[in-house]
Amino acid sequence: MELSSTNELLDSEKLSFDRFRDEVLNDYRLACESREVSLLGRKEVLTGKAKFGIFGDGKEVAQVAAAKFFKPGDFLSGYYRDQTFAFATGVATVEEFFSQLYADPDPANDPHSAGRQMNSHFASPLVGEIGEWLDLANRKNITSGMAPTAAQMPRSIGLALASKLFREEKLLQPFTSLSTNGNEVCFCTIGDASTSEGHFWETVNAAGVMQVPVAFFVWDDGYGISVPKKFQTTKGSISEALKGMQKKEGTNGIDIYKVKAWDYAGMCQVFEAAIQKIRDTHVPALFHVEEVTQPQGHSTSGSHERYKTPERLAWERDWDGNKKMREWILENELASEDELSDLEVTSKELVRKSKYAAWDKFFAPIKEQVIITQQLLEELINKGADENGEITSIKNHLLANREPIRKDVLVALHTAAAVAEAHSLEGPINSYYKLLLEQGYGYYNTHLYSTAPNSPLLEKGTELHTDADAPMINGYEILNKYFDALFASNPKIVAFGEDVGKIGDVNQGFAGLQQKHGENRIFDCGIRELTIMGQGIGLAMRGLRPIAEIQYLDYLVYGLQPLTDDVATLHWRSKGRQSAPLIVRTRGHRLEGIWHSGSPMGLMLNSLRGMHICVPRNMVQAVGMYNTSLAGYDPAIVVECLNGYRLKEKLPTNLLEYKVPLGVPEVIREGKDITIVSYGSTLRVVMEAAVLLHHKGIDCEVVDVQTLLPFDKHHIILESLKKTNRIVFVDEDVPGGAAGYMFNMVMEQQGGYRWLDVSPRTITAQAHRPSYGSDGDYFSKPNTEQVVDVVREMMRE
Ligand SMILES: Cc1ncc(C[n+]2csc(CCOP(=O)(O)OP(=O)(O)O)c2C)c(N)n1
Ligand SMILES: [Mg+2]
């Protein structure tokens, strides 16, 4: 009996030793494969098969160590050095890596971005075919990478905050496919130099304040391209610089750990305990991973010999993580020299084969296009369309190209069609050209917005129901009643921002709602627009429905970077694999002075393609736009009129059901003489002018565009113009801003120029920001008298 239990013990010790050894060797294998990917990847760029390469060499061991503690349900918000992490978690394969390097547009080959992103930008599927959220709690999740340094930081706050909400909010507990009791940790990686960005500091501070489960990893290789850390970081050390944020007994803050990138065993030990602590306590932590190397330099765009000293280069060779891990395995007798050599050979072989497989898949469809094109060109030659040898030369040129791309085939077809026209033989060439063109545009230009059946773009709208004796109440009270009903009806809604929680926003739209629905649903944030937007992005990616506030539209620029780079591009750049249906709530247009009456709509139009831009004229319309947006998965921004909160509106009876269709203008005053197109606050100026003009015998038709993106899907403005033959666009953006955009859409896209009797006009604010005070407003923004005068001039023309 005793003997057998001793044997059992020995057996189990042997088993656990074997398991440990296998795990270590598997990690080493991953590190070797990843290194080979970097080496071969760079060659592919240098030989011209790929355009640009940025790789994770030098960070392999640190990443296999970190990935060991990344569990299903966890999220990575990382950057372009995370290839080893992506391989180790199984989110990406080596073959997929090469497909992305070659920019293969077939999502079956590059599922992460379908050829739309540079290499090393991974994305795991968060949403399914019909836009529905997948079982994220049971998957390892990587949020789509971005190239701007530190852009991954803001959303990490939201990805981590979601865990806290899922753990603390009872109403969210049934959503077990999205979270397992909030156990999920957000891993957030960043290079040492990128910690110089404000994004980093704002994010780490917010994590320390909110106590959310995020693990920041700083890969410190001492450089940001060529600039060393003495020019980047106070005291040349991010862990030193962050000491004031370190959590102590009885305070909030972050835990800080220092590890060495070549010390596999040391990192595993620290990461294991520290990540578990984050998972259990939601206290955030930062790992300062020091002594990272970069064997091949920053990217394929340059060589590091230009800025690293020979001593530094020699040190990097000696302290290479893979080399050190190998030495450690041998010292601890976990494998023999021969075993490691075999493993290294097998790793190289696997990468080489994967590379060829990716290239063959990338090239096969192009090769087929070349063959068909060759046949079409030969047919032309046979039919006598080549008397000057032009077709033969096009053919030879195409066939001489050993690595043609789709563009080369299209150029050949386009040129050949022009020659064939002289013989009326261009038909088949043109048909094939059109087919390939359509295919190409399909590869690159789809999925800017949701393609799901519940797309807000498909919403037809619902009627507004108002009782005959409905009370007239303030605009903010309409919103308040609406948000109250919304929180009661949908447990996934959360709203937050500056002054949103306790006082219920500066205009009382949420007044009393935190007290009623709880601090997990409606809450205050620090003054940090950038990470308020990031918070919204992360929460939305995890399946919640955040309404994130920018207190005044003028401050949108602080939060614009994550909106333009992350939110607006996410669905497109992942070809529908990921969505962030964030709703940004803000208030703008005329009120008082330079920073409380901005209307930078042109700025938004130019930077937020991929979001919907809603510009309601009153709060009931705003409600209808919130409802439409919340019924689908696209991100949207709603600009409420700052001067509309205290204007009286009739209280509808169907606040929760009322939906405004996007991209459908409304004629709010009918007339036959001139069409005035506007939106938001200027509509009140326009309506006043219309009354004055009516007394002068001029009958204005006033059109509210309602949403700038999408813009007038059914050409309702054109219908009005056909009737009046005169049109003026009015808004309070700068000249050439959103009014210029509307002008262009109606003239060019809708063909409005054909219906004009007089020159079309715009009336906008001045080229500078608005001055303070009522006179400042009068002389800076369009006013009633100006509209009256312009319209009268147009009528006289
Ligand atoms: C906002 C922004 N500015 C500049 C760049 C160009 N750029 C790309 S990587 C890089 C250096 C980043 O260094 P670090 O954060 O240390 O990461 P590493 O590449 O060393 O891992 C720079 C300046 C960029 N991508 N984004
Ligand atoms: Mg660096």
Side-chain angles (χ1 to χ4, degrees):
M1 190 66 182
E2 262 188 14
L3 192 68
S4 96
S5 64
T6 309
N7 280 343
E8 266 171 29
L9 192 67
L10 287 175
D11 279 353
S12 77
E13 271 178 12
K14 167 136 188 12
L15 201 68
S16 66
F17 176 77
D18 286 348
R19 211 178 285 142
F20 166 70
R21 179 184 173 280
D22 287 351
E23 228 178 86
V24 170
L25 291 184
N26 191 45
D27 284 349
Y28 182 62
R29 182 183 57 73
L30 279 164
C32 290
E33 280 173 19
S34 185
R35 175 63 58 88
E36 191 64 14
V37 164
S38 304
L39 297 174
L40 292 192
R42 188 177 172 88
K43 280 195 191 137
E44 292 307 271
V45 178
L46 301 183
T47 57
K49 278 194 164 131
K51 296 225 64 167
F52 172 78
I54 192 147
F55 305 104
D57 46 315
K59 295 165 177 87
E60 296 92 344
V61 175
Q63 291 189 13
V64 287
K68 292 170 88 67
F69 310 105
F70 189 77
K71 292 194 174 164
D74 287 348
F75 277 77
L76 171 70
S77 186
Y79 79 116
Y80 52 77
R81 298 280 182 218
D82 293 334
Q83 68 190 51
T84 315
F85 199 96
F87 299 147
T89 50
V91 171
T93 65
V94 171
E95 190 180 311
E96 287 167 3
F97 180 95
F98 281 100
S99 295
Q100 194 180 45
L101 187 71
Y102 299 135
D104 191 327
D106 185 344
N109 303 333
D110 167 19
H112 306 279
S113 65
R116 294 173 181 199
Q117 287 234 67
M118 276 178 178
N119 76 302
S120 292
H121 291 78
F122 306 102
S124 64
L126 302 184
V127 301
E129 289 286 305
I130 53 164
E132 80 289 6
W133 255 253
L134 300 175
D135 56 341
L136 305 185
N138 302 305
R139 294 161 178 264
K140 295 188 175 179
N141 305 293
I142 295 190
T143 52
S144 171
M146 288 175 282
T149 47
Q152 71 278 22
M153 299 303 293
R155 71 179 173 207
S156 71
I157 280 294
L159 293 167
L161 176 62
S163 291
K164 193 179 166 92
L165 298 182
F166 279 116
R167 187 175 287 177
E168 291 181 4
E169 175 55 49
K170 274 201 189 66
L171 292 174
L172 291 176
Q173 262 140 40
F175 298 104
T176 50
S177 66
L178 296 176
S179 172
T180 309
N181 192 33
N183 290 342
E184 307 77 23
V185 174
C186 172
F187 287 44
C188 178
T189 63
I190 185 164
D192 54 317
S194 300
T195 65
S196 307
E197 297 278 12
H199 288 47
F200 174 82
W201 294 92
E202 195 174 310
T203 303
V204 174
N205 178 56
V209 169
M210 291 202 292
Q211 298 290 279
V212 291
V214 56
F216 300 111
F217 293 84
V218 180
W219 310 133
D220 184 354
D221 57 19
Y223 291 84
I225 310 185
S226 66
V227 182
K229 61 183 172 184
K230 72 172 176 184
F231 296 130
Q232 303 278 3
T233 311
T234 300
K235 301 182 185 175
S237 162
I238 197 64
S239 48
E240 282 297 308
L242 278 169
K243 275 201 167 143
M245 294 207 199
Q246 195 156 10
K247 185 175 164 66
K248 298 203 179 102
E249 188 71 31
T251 73
N252 61 14
I254 61 166
D255 288 330
I256 298 178
Y257 304 88
K258 282 214 261 188
V259 292
K260 307 283 185 215
W262 44 263
D263 179 12
Y264 171 75
M267 283 188 293
C268 287
Q269 206 178 7
V270 171
F271 292 161
E272 179 168 27
I275 303 276
Q276 192 58 45
K277 181 176 173 199
I278 301 172
R279 220 177 275 293
D280 294 342
T281 63
H282 283 184
V283 174
L286 178 131
F287 302 95
H288 183 189
V289 184
E290 296 183 291
E291 300 184 18
V292 183
T293 66
Q294 204 178 67
Q296 300 190 109
H298 177 77
S299 71
T300 51
S301 304
S303 92
H304 55 163
E305 284 81 10
R306 281 186 302 163
Y307 51 82
K308 286 182 188 163
T309 61
E311 294 74 36
R312 168 79 195 185
L313 289 166
W315 177 86
E316 289 202 11
R317 276 191 296 276
D318 290 345
W319 291 87
D320 182 303
N322 285 17
K323 179 170 172 278
K324 286 282 162 199
M325 184 171 178
R326 190 181 206 282
E327 287 168 12
W328 177 81
I329 293 172
L330 291 174
E331 268 164 32
N332 288 281
E333 296 176 6
L334 297 174
S336 67
E337 175 67 49
D338 286 350
E339 275 175 291
L340 291 187
S341 300
D342 283 353
L343 181 153
E344 286 153 4
V345 170
T346 324
S347 301
K348 285 187 179 172
E349 190 52 20
L350 175 124
V351 175
R352 206 176 59 85
K353 280 193 179 144
S354 303
K355 183 195 80 168
Y356 284 128
W359 178 260
D360 287 347
K361 285 184 188 170
F362 168 71
F363 197 54
I366 301 177
K367 204 150 98 185
E368 192 186 303
Q369 291 179 12
V370 171
I371 292 169
I372 296 174
T373 304
Q374 182 186 355
Q375 285 162 358
L376 289 169
L377 295 177
E378 280 164 4
E379 264 169 42
L380 284 181
I381 296 168
N382 294 340
K383 286 183 181 163
D386 193 34
E387 67 262 19
N388 300 326
E390 283 171 283
I391 305 280
T392 302
S393 133
I394 294 167
K395 184 184 111 180
N396 292 344
H397 186 68
L398 182 63
L399 296 182
N401 189 342
R402 289 186 50 221
E403 276 143 20
I405 56 172
R406 288 177 169 78
K407 174 186 158 190
D408 298 318
V409 176
L410 283 167
V411 170
L413 288 166
H414 193 267
T415 325
V419 179
E421 260 174 31
H423 304 269
S424 303
L425 290 171
E426 74 280 12
I429 291 265
N430 268 340
S431 311
Y432 191 52
Y433 176 77
K434 280 193 190 121
L435 181 86
L436 294 189
L437 202 62
E438 210 170 292
Q439 195 187 60
Y441 281 111
Y443 280 141
Y444 298 106
N445 305 317
T446 61
H447 291 80
L448 185 56
Y449 292 96
S450 163
T451 51
N454 68 349
S455 160
L457 293 170
L458 303 174
E459 175 59 52
K460 299 258 187 315
T462 49
E463 294 260 310
L464 187 65
H465 294 166
T466 317
D467 287 342
D469 57 351
M472 293 289 285
I473 60 174
N474 288 314
Y476 79 85
E477 292 171 301
I478 302 260
L479 286 174
N480 189 253
K481 286 184 191 302
Y482 166 65
F483 285 131
D484 188 12
L486 184 66
F487 282 110
S489 72
N490 186 346
K492 290 185 175 172
I493 304 275
V494 283
F496 49 84
E498 295 150 23
D499 306 293
V500 163
K502 190 157 189 181
I503 65 165
D505 90 49
V506 284
N507 294 91
Q508 300 176 59
F510 294 119
L513 300 186
Q514 184 184 62
Q515 292 75 1
K516 187 165 171 188
H517 299 280
E519 291 185 10
N520 291 323
R521 313 276 318 271
I522 304 133
F523 48 92
D524 287 320
C525 295
I527 305 176
R528 49 177 180 82
E529 288 77 10
L530 174 77
T531 48
I532 290 173
M533 294 299 98
Q535 196 164 302
I537 299 168
L539 290 173
M541 285 177 128
R542 289 198 59 180
L544 296 173
R545 295 311 308 255
I547 300 175
E549 263 217 27
I550 294 283
Q551 195 164 66
Y552 295 98
L553 181 56
D554 292 270
Y555 309 134
L556 178 74
V557 282
Y558 278 63
L560 191 62
Q561 188 276 330
L563 296 181
T564 181
D565 286 329
D566 202 355
V567 179
T569 69
L570 181 68
H571 196 260
W572 171 83
R573 75 180 195 266
S574 66
K575 206 169 185 186
R577 253 194 165 192
Q578 300 195 345
S579 304
L582 163 68
I583 309 294
V584 180
R585 178 183 182 221
T586 187
R587 46 190 74 84
H589 313 315
R590 58 182 59 206
L591 192 72
E592 282 304 337
I594 163 165
W595 284 293
H596 294 88
S597 57
S599 192
M601 307 310 301
L603 172 88
M604 291 160 65
L605 280 165
N606 287 336
S607 55
L608 300 179
R609 304 295 165 116
M611 291 183 77
H612 300 306
I613 300 181
C614 304
V615 281
R617 64 181 178 273
N618 60 33
M619 302 310 160
V620 168
Q621 291 307 92
V623 164
M625 294 171 191
Y626 284 119
N627 281 330
T628 304
S629 302
L630 287 166
Y633 300 133
D634 281 333
I637 181 163
V638 180
V639 183
E640 294 167 11
C641 295
L642 255 174
N643 60 5
Y645 293 113
R646 291 193 178 272
L647 297 178
K648 304 282 184 206
E649 296 180 40
K650 266 194 175 180
L651 177 67
T653 53
N654 61 339
L655 275 176
L656 270 186
E657 292 77 39
Y658 176 49
K659 291 201 184 100
V660 171
L662 305 184
V664 181
E666 192 178 324
V667 176
I668 58 170
R669 180 189 171 106
E670 291 198 20
K672 60 177 182 359
D673 294 327
I674 184 164
T675 301
I676 309 181
V677 180
S678 192
Y679 58 87
S681 294
T682 41
L683 278 171
R684 280 190 281 281
V685 172
V686 168
M687 290 300 262
E688 264 175 38
V691 172
L692 296 175
L693 286 160
H694 177 73
H695 297 313
K696 297 271 178 204
I698 299 171
D699 210 3
C700 301
E701 178 140 306
V702 180
V703 185
D704 174 7
V705 302
Q706 304 221 74
T707 60
L708 285 165
L709 283 180
F711 183 82
D712 190 8
K713 289 185 301 197
H714 311 305
H715 297 190
I716 288 169
I717 299 171
L718 185 71
E719 287 314 305
S720 173
L721 178 57
K722 282 181 186 172
K723 187 169 69 174
T724 63
N725 308 112
R726 293 179 184 84
I727 193 164
V728 56
F729 300 88
V730 185
D731 79 353
E732 52 189 289
D733 196 359
V734 291
Y741 163 82
M742 297 192 289
F743 184 103
N744 169 263
M745 292 299 277
V746 175
M747 291 307 138
E748 185 181 339
Q749 198 200 49
Q750 302 189 3
Y753 68 93
R754 279 175 283 160
W755 303 91
L756 291 171
D757 280 352
V758 302
S759 300
R761 300 275 296 262
T762 61
I763 305 174
T764 68
Q766 299 294 313
H768 53 75
R769 310 285 277 273
S771 295
Y772 181 61
S774 301
D775 275 348
D777 174 80
Y778 187 82
F779 290 105
S780 304
K781 298 252 180 175
N783 57 56
T784 308
E785 288 63 39
Q786 215 180 344
V787 176
V788 167
D789 289 350
V790 169
V791 168
R792 291 186 70 193
E793 267 172 40
M794 289 174 74
M795 293 306 295
R796 283 195 295 266
E797 213 179 296

